[in-house]
PDB file of all heavy atoms in Angstrom:
ATOM      1  N   ASP A   1     -34.029 -90.205 -10.163  1.00 97.00           N
ATOM      2  CA  ASP A   1     -34.606 -91.352 -10.841  1.00 97.00           C
ATOM      3  C   ASP A   1     -34.778 -92.496  -9.836  1.00 97.00           C
ATOM      4  O   ASP A   1     -34.386 -92.376  -8.672  1.00 97.00           O
ATOM      5  CB  ASP A   1     -33.753 -91.785 -12.036  1.00 97.00           C
ATOM      6  CG  ASP A   1     -32.295 -92.069 -11.665  1.00 97.00           C
ATOM      7  OD1 ASP A   1     -32.023 -92.358 -10.474  1.00 97.00           O
ATOM      8  OD2 ASP A   1     -31.427 -92.012 -12.552  1.00 97.00           O
ATOM      9  N   ILE A   2     -35.369 -93.574 -10.293  1.00 96.00           N
ATOM     10  CA  ILE A   2     -35.667 -94.685  -9.383  1.00 96.00           C
ATOM     11  C   ILE A   2     -34.389 -95.280  -8.805  1.00 96.00           C
ATOM     12  O   ILE A   2     -34.344 -95.671  -7.627  1.00 96.00           O
ATOM     13  CB  ILE A   2     -36.509 -95.753 -10.109  1.00 96.00           C
ATOM     14  CG1 ILE A   2     -37.914 -95.196 -10.384  1.00 96.00           C
ATOM     15  CG2 ILE A   2     -36.611 -97.027  -9.272  1.00 96.00           C
ATOM     16  CD1 ILE A   2     -38.829 -96.143 -11.119  1.00 96.00           C
ATOM     17  N   ALA A   3     -33.329 -95.335  -9.603  1.00 96.00           N
ATOM     18  CA  ALA A   3     -32.065 -95.888  -9.099  1.00 96.00           C
ATOM     19  C   ALA A   3     -31.562 -95.088  -7.909  1.00 96.00           C
ATOM     20  O   ALA A   3     -31.137 -95.663  -6.891  1.00 96.00           O
ATOM     21  CB  ALA A   3     -31.026 -95.912 -10.219  1.00 96.00           C
ATOM     22  N   LEU A   4     -31.601 -93.751  -8.011  1.00 97.00           N
ATOM     23  CA  LEU A   4     -31.148 -92.931  -6.896  1.00 97.00           C
ATOM     24  C   LEU A   4     -32.115 -93.046  -5.724  1.00 97.00           C
ATOM     25  O   LEU A   4     -31.679 -93.127  -4.562  1.00 97.00           O
ATOM     26  CB  LEU A   4     -31.018 -91.466  -7.332  1.00 97.00           C
ATOM     27  CG  LEU A   4     -30.555 -90.501  -6.237  1.00 97.00           C
ATOM     28  CD1 LEU A   4     -29.187 -90.914  -5.676  1.00 97.00           C
ATOM     29  CD2 LEU A   4     -30.501 -89.066  -6.760  1.00 97.00           C
ATOM     30  N   ARG A   5     -33.415 -93.082  -6.012  1.00 97.00           N
ATOM     31  CA  ARG A   5     -34.395 -93.214  -4.921  1.00 97.00           C
ATOM     32  C   ARG A   5     -34.156 -94.488  -4.120  1.00 97.00           C
ATOM     33  O   ARG A   5     -34.201 -94.475  -2.878  1.00 97.00           O
ATOM     34  CB  ARG A   5     -35.820 -93.215  -5.506  1.00 97.00           C
ATOM     35  CG  ARG A   5     -36.904 -93.546  -4.488  1.00 97.00           C
ATOM     36  CD  ARG A   5     -37.037 -92.457  -3.429  1.00 97.00           C
ATOM     37  NE  ARG A   5     -37.996 -92.823  -2.414  1.00 97.00           N
ATOM     38  CZ  ARG A   5     -37.697 -93.455  -1.274  1.00 97.00           C
ATOM     39  NH1 ARG A   5     -36.437 -93.810  -1.006  1.00 97.00           N
ATOM     40  NH2 ARG A   5     -38.628 -93.729  -0.387  1.00 97.00           N
ATOM     41  N   GLN A   6     -33.894 -95.580  -4.803  1.00 96.00           N
ATOM     42  CA  GLN A   6     -33.669 -96.841  -4.099  1.00 96.00           C
ATOM     43  C   GLN A   6     -32.342 -96.838  -3.350  1.00 96.00           C
ATOM     44  O   GLN A   6     -32.246 -97.403  -2.256  1.00 96.00           O
ATOM     45  CB  GLN A   6     -33.746 -98.001  -5.083  1.00 96.00           C
ATOM     46  CG  GLN A   6     -35.153 -98.185  -5.657  1.00 96.00           C
ATOM     47  CD  GLN A   6     -35.283 -99.381  -6.572  1.00 96.00           C
ATOM     48  OE1 GLN A   6     -34.297 -99.895  -7.071  1.00 96.00           O
ATOM     49  NE2 GLN A   6     -36.515 -99.805  -6.802  1.00 96.00           N
ATOM     50  N   LEU A   7     -31.336 -96.167  -3.899  1.00 97.00           N
ATOM     51  CA  LEU A   7     -30.060 -96.048  -3.207  1.00 97.00           C
ATOM     52  C   LEU A   7     -30.210 -95.209  -1.944  1.00 97.00           C
ATOM     53  O   LEU A   7     -29.701 -95.569  -0.872  1.00 97.00           O
ATOM     54  CB  LEU A   7     -29.017 -95.428  -4.135  1.00 97.00           C
ATOM     55  CG  LEU A   7     -27.641 -95.143  -3.531  1.00 97.00           C
ATOM     56  CD1 LEU A   7     -26.999 -96.423  -3.000  1.00 97.00           C
ATOM     57  CD2 LEU A   7     -26.737 -94.466  -4.559  1.00 97.00           C
ATOM     58  N   VAL A   8     -30.925 -94.097  -2.063  1.00 97.00           N
ATOM     59  CA  VAL A   8     -31.164 -93.236  -0.900  1.00 97.00           C
ATOM     60  C   VAL A   8     -31.939 -94.004   0.175  1.00 97.00           C
ATOM     61  O   VAL A   8     -31.622 -93.906   1.365  1.00 97.00           O
ATOM     62  CB  VAL A   8     -31.937 -91.965  -1.339  1.00 97.00           C
ATOM     63  CG1 VAL A   8     -32.503 -91.222  -0.137  1.00 97.00           C
ATOM     64  CG2 VAL A   8     -31.018 -91.053  -2.137  1.00 97.00           C
ATOM     65  N   GLY A   9     -32.923 -94.781  -0.248  1.00 96.00           N
ATOM     66  CA  GLY A   9     -33.681 -95.587   0.705  1.00 96.00           C
ATOM     67  C   GLY A   9     -32.801 -96.592   1.422  1.00 96.00           C
ATOM     68  O   GLY A   9     -32.900 -96.759   2.648  1.00 96.00           O
ATOM     69  N   ARG A  10     -31.938 -97.265   0.684  1.00 96.00           N
ATOM     70  CA  ARG A  10     -31.054 -98.266   1.305  1.00 96.00           C
ATOM     71  C   ARG A  10     -30.088 -97.615   2.277  1.00 96.00           C
ATOM     72  O   ARG A  10     -29.890 -98.102   3.401  1.00 96.00           O
ATOM     73  CB  ARG A  10     -30.278 -99.020   0.224  1.00 96.00           C
ATOM     74  CG  ARG A  10     -29.286-100.044   0.793  1.00 96.00           C
ATOM     75  CD  ARG A  10     -28.628-100.856  -0.290  1.00 96.00           C
ATOM     76  NE  ARG A  10     -27.824-100.060  -1.200  1.00 96.00           N
ATOM     77  CZ  ARG A  10     -26.582 -99.622  -0.916  1.00 96.00           C
ATOM     78  NH1 ARG A  10     -26.031 -99.880   0.266  1.00 96.00           N
ATOM     79  NH2 ARG A  10     -25.916 -98.921  -1.812  1.00 96.00           N
ATOM     80  N   LEU A  11     -29.475 -96.502   1.871  1.00 98.00           N
ATOM     81  CA  LEU A  11     -28.545 -95.808   2.763  1.00 98.00           C
ATOM     82  C   LEU A  11     -29.261 -95.303   4.016  1.00 98.00           C
ATOM     83  O   LEU A  11     -28.699 -95.337   5.118  1.00 98.00           O
ATOM     84  CB  LEU A  11     -27.883 -94.643   2.022  1.00 98.00           C
ATOM     85  CG  LEU A  11     -26.900 -95.029   0.907  1.00 98.00           C
ATOM     86  CD1 LEU A  11     -26.453 -93.783   0.141  1.00 98.00           C
ATOM     87  CD2 LEU A  11     -25.690 -95.762   1.486  1.00 98.00           C
ATOM     88  N   GLY A  12     -30.495 -94.831   3.845  1.00 97.00           N
ATOM     89  CA  GLY A  12     -31.265 -94.368   4.994  1.00 97.00           C
ATOM     90  C   GLY A  12     -31.567 -95.488   5.970  1.00 97.00           C
ATOM     91  O   GLY A  12     -31.463 -95.311   7.192  1.00 97.00           O
ATOM     92  N   ARG A  13     -31.926 -96.650   5.457  1.00 96.00           N
ATOM     93  CA  ARG A  13     -32.212 -97.792   6.334  1.00 96.00           C
ATOM     94  C   ARG A  13     -30.943 -98.283   7.032  1.00 96.00           C
ATOM     95  O   ARG A  13     -30.984 -98.670   8.207  1.00 96.00           O
ATOM     96  CB  ARG A  13     -32.866 -98.918   5.526  1.00 96.00           C
ATOM     97  CG  ARG A  13     -34.294 -98.594   5.111  1.00 96.00           C
ATOM     98  CD  ARG A  13     -34.991 -99.775   4.474  1.00 96.00           C
ATOM     99  NE  ARG A  13     -34.450-100.101   3.160  1.00 96.00           N
ATOM    100  CZ  ARG A  13     -34.840 -99.524   2.021  1.00 96.00           C
ATOM    101  NH1 ARG A  13     -35.756 -98.560   2.049  1.00 96.00           N
ATOM    102  NH2 ARG A  13     -34.326 -99.898   0.869  1.00 96.00           N
ATOM    103  N   GLU A  14     -29.823 -98.253   6.330  1.00 97.00           N
ATOM    104  CA  GLU A  14     -28.562 -98.615   6.969  1.00 97.00           C
ATOM    105  C   GLU A  14     -28.204 -97.611   8.064  1.00 97.00           C
ATOM    106  O   GLU A  14     -27.708 -97.987   9.131  1.00 97.00           O
ATOM    107  CB  GLU A  14     -27.444 -98.684   5.925  1.00 97.00           C
ATOM    108  CG  GLU A  14     -27.592 -99.851   4.951  1.00 97.00           C
ATOM    109  CD  GLU A  14     -26.582 -99.802   3.822  1.00 97.00           C
ATOM    110  OE1 GLU A  14     -25.807 -98.827   3.753  1.00 97.00           O
ATOM    111  OE2 GLU A  14     -26.571-100.755   3.002  1.00 97.00           O
ATOM    112  N   GLY A  15     -28.471 -96.349   7.798  1.00 97.00           N
ATOM    113  CA  GLY A  15     -28.230 -95.326   8.811  1.00 97.00           C
ATOM    114  C   GLY A  15     -29.119 -95.498  10.022  1.00 97.00           C
ATOM    115  O   GLY A  15     -28.697 -95.289  11.159  1.00 97.00           O
ATOM    116  N   GLU A  16     -30.368 -95.887   9.780  1.00 96.00           N
ATOM    117  CA  GLU A  16     -31.284 -96.139  10.891  1.00 96.00           C
ATOM    118  C   GLU A  16     -30.772 -97.281  11.764  1.00 96.00           C
ATOM    119  O   GLU A  16     -30.847 -97.206  13.003  1.00 96.00           O
ATOM    120  CB  GLU A  16     -32.668 -96.473  10.349  1.00 96.00           C
ATOM    121  CG  GLU A  16     -33.711 -96.693  11.428  1.00 96.00           C
ATOM    122  CD  GLU A  16     -35.082 -97.002  10.865  1.00 96.00           C
ATOM    123  OE1 GLU A  16     -35.459 -96.383   9.852  1.00 96.00           O
ATOM    124  OE2 GLU A  16     -35.776 -97.861  11.440  1.00 96.00           O
ATOM    125  N   ALA A  17     -30.238 -98.328  11.146  1.00 96.00           N
ATOM    126  CA  ALA A  17     -29.681 -99.443  11.916  1.00 96.00           C
ATOM    127  C   ALA A  17     -28.488 -98.992  12.747  1.00 96.00           C
ATOM    128  O   ALA A  17     -28.328 -99.397  13.913  1.00 96.00           O
ATOM    129  CB  ALA A  17     -29.275-100.570  10.968  1.00 96.00           C
ATOM    130  N   GLN A  18     -27.642 -98.129  12.176  1.00 96.00           N
ATOM    131  CA  GLN A  18     -26.503 -97.601  12.919  1.00 96.00           C
ATOM    132  C   GLN A  18     -26.970 -96.741  14.089  1.00 96.00           C
ATOM    133  O   GLN A  18     -26.398 -96.789  15.184  1.00 96.00           O
ATOM    134  CB  GLN A  18     -25.605 -96.791  11.985  1.00 96.00           C
ATOM    135  CG  GLN A  18     -24.907 -97.633  10.924  1.00 96.00           C
ATOM    136  CD  GLN A  18     -24.216 -96.789   9.865  1.00 96.00           C
ATOM    137  OE1 GLN A  18     -24.335 -95.564   9.851  1.00 96.00           O
ATOM    138  NE2 GLN A  18     -23.495 -97.448   8.967  1.00 96.00           N
ATOM    139  N   MET A  19     -28.013 -95.955  13.842  1.00 97.00           N
ATOM    140  CA  MET A  19     -28.582 -95.128  14.903  1.00 97.00           C
ATOM    141  C   MET A  19     -29.105 -95.986  16.043  1.00 97.00           C
ATOM    142  O   MET A  19     -28.828 -95.722  17.220  1.00 97.00           O
ATOM    143  CB  MET A  19     -29.711 -94.265  14.341  1.00 97.00           C
ATOM    144  CG  MET A  19     -30.480 -93.459  15.377  1.00 97.00           C
ATOM    145  SD  MET A  19     -32.107 -92.939  14.770  1.00 97.00           S
ATOM    146  CE  MET A  19     -33.028 -94.494  14.852  1.00 97.00           C
ATOM    147  N   MET A  20     -29.865 -97.019  15.715  1.00 96.00           N
ATOM    148  CA  MET A  20     -30.447 -97.886  16.739  1.00 96.00           C
ATOM    149  C   MET A  20     -29.359 -98.611  17.534  1.00 96.00           C
ATOM    150  O   MET A  20     -29.495 -98.834  18.743  1.00 96.00           O
ATOM    151  CB  MET A  20     -31.386 -98.895  16.084  1.00 96.00           C
ATOM    152  CG  MET A  20     -32.594 -98.273  15.398  1.00 96.00           C
ATOM    153  SD  MET A  20     -33.741 -97.432  16.525  1.00 96.00           S
ATOM    154  CE  MET A  20     -34.757 -98.815  17.032  1.00 96.00           C
ATOM    155  N   GLU A  21     -28.272 -98.951  16.877  1.00 96.00           N
ATOM    156  CA  GLU A  21     -27.151 -99.579  17.585  1.00 96.00           C
ATOM    157  C   GLU A  21     -26.510 -98.588  18.547  1.00 96.00           C
ATOM    158  O   GLU A  21     -26.174 -98.932  19.684  1.00 96.00           O
ATOM    159  CB  GLU A  21     -26.118-100.081  16.584  1.00 96.00           C
ATOM    160  CG  GLU A  21     -24.939-100.801  17.238  1.00 96.00           C
ATOM    161  CD  GLU A  21     -23.952-101.354  16.229  1.00 96.00           C
ATOM    162  OE1 GLU A  21     -24.241-101.312  15.013  1.00 96.00           O
ATOM    163  OE2 GLU A  21     -22.872-101.819  16.663  1.00 96.00           O
ATOM    164  N   ALA A  22     -26.368 -97.339  18.108  1.00 96.00           N
ATOM    165  CA  ALA A  22     -25.737 -96.318  18.938  1.00 96.00           C
ATOM    166  C   ALA A  22     -26.593 -95.946  20.145  1.00 96.00           C
ATOM    167  O   ALA A  22     -26.071 -95.552  21.192  1.00 96.00           O
ATOM    168  CB  ALA A  22     -25.450 -95.072  18.103  1.00 96.00           C
ATOM    169  N   THR A  23     -27.913 -96.075  20.008  1.00 96.00           N
ATOM    170  CA  THR A  23     -28.822 -95.654  21.077  1.00 96.00           C
ATOM    171  C   THR A  23     -29.352 -96.819  21.905  1.00 96.00           C
ATOM    172  O   THR A  23     -30.221 -96.616  22.757  1.00 96.00           O
ATOM    173  CB  THR A  23     -30.019 -94.889  20.487  1.00 96.00           C
ATOM    174  OG1 THR A  23     -30.753 -95.764  19.617  1.00 96.00           O
ATOM    175  CG2 THR A  23     -29.557 -93.654  19.719  1.00 96.00           C
ATOM    176  N   GLY A  24     -28.876 -98.012  21.643  1.00 95.00           N
ATOM    177  CA  GLY A  24     -29.373 -99.164  22.384  1.00 95.00           C
ATOM    178  C   GLY A  24     -30.800 -99.527  22.040  1.00 95.00           C
ATOM    179  O   GLY A  24     -31.543-100.017  22.886  1.00 95.00           O
ATOM    180  N   GLY A  25     -31.191 -99.279  20.794  1.00 94.00           N
ATOM    181  CA  GLY A  25     -32.525 -99.650  20.340  1.00 94.00           C
ATOM    182  C   GLY A  25     -33.583 -98.581  20.505  1.00 94.00           C
ATOM    183  O   GLY A  25     -34.769 -98.841  20.250  1.00 94.00           O
ATOM    184  N   VAL A  26     -33.209 -97.385  20.909  1.00 93.00           N
ATOM    185  CA  VAL A  26     -34.175 -96.292  21.084  1.00 93.00           C
ATOM    186  C   VAL A  26     -34.277 -95.489  19.793  1.00 93.00           C
ATOM    187  O   VAL A  26     -33.263 -95.082  19.219  1.00 93.00           O
ATOM    188  CB  VAL A  26     -33.760 -95.359  22.243  1.00 93.00           C
ATOM    189  CG1 VAL A  26     -34.761 -94.221  22.395  1.00 93.00           C
ATOM    190  CG2 VAL A  26     -33.626 -96.140  23.538  1.00 93.00           C
ATOM    191  N   ASN A  27     -35.515 -95.254  19.327  1.00 91.00           N
ATOM    192  CA  ASN A  27     -35.733 -94.464  18.122  1.00 91.00           C
ATOM    193  C   ASN A  27     -35.603 -92.981  18.444  1.00 91.00           C
ATOM    194  O   ASN A  27     -36.503 -92.376  19.031  1.00 91.00           O
ATOM    195  CB  ASN A  27     -37.127 -94.748  17.532  1.00 91.00           C
ATOM    196  CG  ASN A  27     -37.464 -93.802  16.392  1.00 91.00           C
ATOM    197  OD1 ASN A  27     -36.575 -93.255  15.745  1.00 91.00           O
ATOM    198  ND2 ASN A  27     -38.741 -93.609  16.148  1.00 91.00           N
ATOM    199  N   THR A  28     -34.481 -92.417  18.083  1.00 93.00           N
ATOM    200  CA  THR A  28     -34.227 -91.006  18.352  1.00 93.00           C
ATOM    201  C   THR A  28     -34.475 -90.128  17.127  1.00 93.00           C
ATOM    202  O   THR A  28     -35.023 -89.035  17.239  1.00 93.00           O
ATOM    203  CB  THR A  28     -32.773 -90.812  18.807  1.00 93.00           C
ATOM    204  OG1 THR A  28     -31.922 -91.605  17.960  1.00 93.00           O
ATOM    205  CG2 THR A  28     -32.584 -91.261  20.245  1.00 93.00           C
ATOM    206  N   HIS A  29     -34.065 -90.594  15.952  1.00 95.00           N
ATOM    207  CA  HIS A  29     -34.057 -89.727  14.769  1.00 95.00           C
ATOM    208  C   HIS A  29     -34.571 -90.402  13.499  1.00 95.00           C
ATOM    209  O   HIS A  29     -34.157 -90.045  12.399  1.00 95.00           O
ATOM    210  CB  HIS A  29     -32.629 -89.220  14.513  1.00 95.00           C
ATOM    211  CG  HIS A  29     -32.193 -88.139  15.434  1.00 95.00           C
ATOM    212  ND1 HIS A  29     -31.049 -88.226  16.214  1.00 95.00           N
ATOM    213  CD2 HIS A  29     -32.735 -86.928  15.723  1.00 95.00           C
ATOM    214  CE1 HIS A  29     -30.913 -87.126  16.923  1.00 95.00           C
ATOM    215  NE2 HIS A  29     -31.919 -86.323  16.646  1.00 95.00           N
ATOM    216  N   ARG A  30     -35.484 -91.361  13.618  1.00 92.00           N
ATOM    217  CA  ARG A  30     -35.970 -92.037  12.409  1.00 92.00           C
ATOM    218  C   ARG A  30     -36.608 -91.041  11.446  1.00 92.00           C
ATOM    219  O   ARG A  30     -36.343 -91.069  10.241  1.00 92.00           O
ATOM    220  CB  ARG A  30     -36.964 -93.125  12.792  1.00 92.00           C
ATOM    221  CG  ARG A  30     -37.478 -93.920  11.587  1.00 92.00           C
ATOM    222  CD  ARG A  30     -38.384 -95.047  12.048  1.00 92.00           C
ATOM    223  NE  ARG A  30     -37.641 -96.073  12.753  1.00 92.00           N
ATOM    224  CZ  ARG A  30     -38.159 -96.876  13.691  1.00 92.00           C
ATOM    225  NH1 ARG A  30     -39.423 -96.724  14.060  1.00 92.00           N
ATOM    226  NH2 ARG A  30     -37.427 -97.800  14.261  1.00 92.00           N
ATOM    227  N   GLY A  31     -37.460 -90.173  11.951  1.00 92.00           N
ATOM    228  CA  GLY A  31     -38.104 -89.187  11.085  1.00 92.00           C
ATOM    229  C   GLY A  31     -37.122 -88.200  10.501  1.00 92.00           C
ATOM    230  O   GLY A  31     -37.255 -87.768   9.349  1.00 92.00           O
ATOM    231  N   ALA A  32     -36.099 -87.852  11.279  1.00 95.00           N
ATOM    232  CA  ALA A  32     -35.099 -86.903  10.802  1.00 95.00           C
ATOM    233  C   ALA A  32     -34.249 -87.505   9.692  1.00 95.00           C
ATOM    234  O   ALA A  32     -33.810 -86.792   8.784  1.00 95.00           O
ATOM    235  CB  ALA A  32     -34.218 -86.457  11.960  1.00 95.00           C
ATOM    236  N   ILE A  33     -33.998 -88.806   9.759  1.00 97.00           N
ATOM    237  CA  ILE A  33     -33.237 -89.468   8.689  1.00 97.00           C
ATOM    238  C   ILE A  33     -33.972 -89.296   7.367  1.00 97.00           C
ATOM    239  O   ILE A  33     -33.363 -89.022   6.332  1.00 97.00           O
ATOM    240  CB  ILE A  33     -33.016 -90.953   9.010  1.00 97.00           C
ATOM    241  CG1 ILE A  33     -32.111 -91.114  10.235  1.00 97.00           C
ATOM    242  CG2 ILE A  33     -32.390 -91.672   7.807  1.00 97.00           C
ATOM    243  CD1 ILE A  33     -31.995 -92.543  10.720  1.00 97.00           C
ATOM    244  N   TRP A  34     -35.278 -89.459   7.393  1.00 96.00           N
ATOM    245  CA  TRP A  34     -36.092 -89.296   6.184  1.00 96.00           C
ATOM    246  C   TRP A  34     -36.022 -87.870   5.664  1.00 96.00           C
ATOM    247  O   TRP A  34     -35.683 -87.630   4.493  1.00 96.00           O
ATOM    248  CB  TRP A  34     -37.533 -89.695   6.479  1.00 96.00           C
ATOM    249  CG  TRP A  34     -38.558 -89.307   5.471  1.00 96.00           C
ATOM    250  CD1 TRP A  34     -39.493 -88.324   5.587  1.00 96.00           C
ATOM    251  CD2 TRP A  34     -38.777 -89.898   4.173  1.00 96.00           C
ATOM    252  NE1 TRP A  34     -40.279 -88.263   4.468  1.00 96.00           N
ATOM    253  CE2 TRP A  34     -39.867 -89.219   3.573  1.00 96.00           C
ATOM    254  CE3 TRP A  34     -38.160 -90.936   3.465  1.00 96.00           C
ATOM    255  CZ2 TRP A  34     -40.350 -89.526   2.305  1.00 96.00           C
ATOM    256  CZ3 TRP A  34     -38.654 -91.251   2.197  1.00 96.00           C
ATOM    257  CH2 TRP A  34     -39.723 -90.557   1.633  1.00 96.00           C
ATOM    258  N   ALA A  35     -36.307 -86.904   6.520  1.00 97.00           N
ATOM    259  CA  ALA A  35     -36.371 -85.506   6.076  1.00 97.00           C
ATOM    260  C   ALA A  35     -34.998 -84.967   5.688  1.00 97.00           C
ATOM    261  O   ALA A  35     -34.800 -84.456   4.582  1.00 97.00           O
ATOM    262  CB  ALA A  35     -36.989 -84.644   7.177  1.00 97.00           C
ATOM    263  N   LEU A  36     -34.034 -85.082   6.589  1.00 98.00           N
ATOM    264  CA  LEU A  36     -32.710 -84.544   6.304  1.00 98.00           C
ATOM    265  C   LEU A  36     -32.003 -85.349   5.218  1.00 98.00           C
ATOM    266  O   LEU A  36     -31.266 -84.779   4.405  1.00 98.00           O
ATOM    267  CB  LEU A  36     -31.853 -84.501   7.570  1.00 98.00           C
ATOM    268  CG  LEU A  36     -31.968 -83.208   8.392  1.00 98.00           C
ATOM    269  CD1 LEU A  36     -33.359 -83.091   9.013  1.00 98.00           C
ATOM    270  CD2 LEU A  36     -30.910 -83.148   9.472  1.00 98.00           C
ATOM    271  N   GLY A  37     -32.241 -86.666   5.201  1.00 97.00           N
ATOM    272  CA  GLY A  37     -31.621 -87.481   4.163  1.00 97.00           C
ATOM    273  C   GLY A  37     -32.044 -87.053   2.771  1.00 97.00           C
ATOM    274  O   GLY A  37     -31.215 -86.927   1.854  1.00 97.00           O
ATOM    275  N   LEU A  38     -33.339 -86.819   2.587  1.00 98.00           N
ATOM    276  CA  LEU A  38     -33.833 -86.363   1.295  1.00 98.00           C
ATOM    277  C   LEU A  38     -33.262 -84.994   0.926  1.00 98.00           C
ATOM    278  O   LEU A  38     -32.853 -84.762  -0.220  1.00 98.00           O
ATOM    279  CB  LEU A  38     -35.359 -86.292   1.311  1.00 98.00           C
ATOM    280  CG  LEU A  38     -36.108 -87.612   1.194  1.00 98.00           C
ATOM    281  CD1 LEU A  38     -37.591 -87.398   1.496  1.00 98.00           C
ATOM    282  CD2 LEU A  38     -35.932 -88.232  -0.195  1.00 98.00           C
ATOM    283  N   LEU A  39     -33.207 -84.089   1.883  1.00 98.00           N
ATOM    284  CA  LEU A  39     -32.727 -82.735   1.603  1.00 98.00           C
ATOM    285  C   LEU A  39     -31.227 -82.715   1.327  1.00 98.00           C
ATOM    286  O   LEU A  39     -30.749 -81.945   0.485  1.00 98.00           O
ATOM    287  CB  LEU A  39     -33.073 -81.809   2.762  1.00 98.00           C
ATOM    288  CG  LEU A  39     -34.568 -81.503   2.904  1.00 98.00           C
ATOM    289  CD1 LEU A  39     -34.861 -80.804   4.221  1.00 98.00           C
ATOM    290  CD2 LEU A  39     -35.066 -80.661   1.729  1.00 98.00           C
ATOM    291  N   ILE A  40     -30.473 -83.568   2.006  1.00 98.00           N
ATOM    292  CA  ILE A  40     -29.037 -83.671   1.731  1.00 98.00           C
ATOM    293  C   ILE A  40     -28.822 -84.177   0.312  1.00 98.00           C
ATOM    294  O   ILE A  40     -28.020 -83.628  -0.452  1.00 98.00           O
ATOM    295  CB  ILE A  40     -28.362 -84.608   2.752  1.00 98.00           C
ATOM    296  CG1 ILE A  40     -28.298 -83.949   4.116  1.00 98.00           C
ATOM    297  CG2 ILE A  40     -26.958 -85.011   2.291  1.00 98.00           C
ATOM    298  CD1 ILE A  40     -27.958 -84.904   5.237  1.00 98.00           C
ATOM    299  N   SER A  41     -29.530 -85.241  -0.041  1.00 98.00           N
ATOM    300  CA  SER A  41     -29.427 -85.774  -1.396  1.00 98.00           C
ATOM    301  C   SER A  41     -29.830 -84.725  -2.422  1.00 98.00           C
ATOM    302  O   SER A  41     -29.175 -84.559  -3.456  1.00 98.00           O
ATOM    303  CB  SER A  41     -30.305 -87.015  -1.547  1.00 98.00           C
ATOM    304  OG  SER A  41     -29.820 -88.074  -0.754  1.00 98.00           O
ATOM    305  N   ALA A  42     -30.903 -84.005  -2.135  1.00 98.00           N
ATOM    306  CA  ALA A  42     -31.397 -82.985  -3.057  1.00 98.00           C
ATOM    307  C   ALA A  42     -30.394 -81.850  -3.238  1.00 98.00           C
ATOM    308  O   ALA A  42     -30.212 -81.343  -4.355  1.00 98.00           O
ATOM    309  CB  ALA A  42     -32.725 -82.436  -2.548  1.00 98.00           C
ATOM    310  N   ALA A  43     -29.741 -81.451  -2.145  1.00 97.00           N
ATOM    311  CA  ALA A  43     -28.723 -80.397  -2.241  1.00 97.00           C
ATOM    312  C   ALA A  43     -27.515 -80.884  -3.030  1.00 97.00           C
ATOM    313  O   ALA A  43     -26.918 -80.134  -3.814  1.00 97.00           O
ATOM    314  CB  ALA A  43     -28.300 -79.960  -0.846  1.00 97.00           C
ATOM    315  N   ALA A  44     -27.148 -82.156  -2.844  1.00 97.00           N
ATOM    316  CA  ALA A  44     -26.005 -82.718  -3.568  1.00 97.00           C
ATOM    317  C   ALA A  44     -26.325 -82.890  -5.049  1.00 97.00           C
ATOM    318  O   ALA A  44     -25.439 -82.761  -5.901  1.00 97.00           O
ATOM    319  CB  ALA A  44     -25.613 -84.055  -2.955  1.00 97.00           C
TER     320      ALA A  44
END
């Protein structure tokens, strides 16, 4: 539902910020966060 979609989006964006901090600002896995994030949520 929309509530879960918005929660998944927020968690994904927070994860992207953590990723960028870990990599010194280099985009390593932005696309993977989207794909794997959705599939993880879907499996759960």
Side-chain angles (χ1 to χ4, degrees):
D1 55 23
I2 291 179
L4 180 59
R5 172 67 184 92
Q6 294 184 341
L7 176 59
V8 166
R10 178 175 63 79
L11 291 173
R13 289 187 290 274
E14 291 173 356
E16 183 179 321
Q18 293 170 354
M19 174 200 75
M20 296 295 274
E21 182 177 352
T23 62
V26 179
N27 172 24
T28 44
H29 284 124
R30 182 176 291 153
I33 294 172
W34 167 253
L36 271 68
L38 283 169
L39 290 169
I40 289 166
S41 293

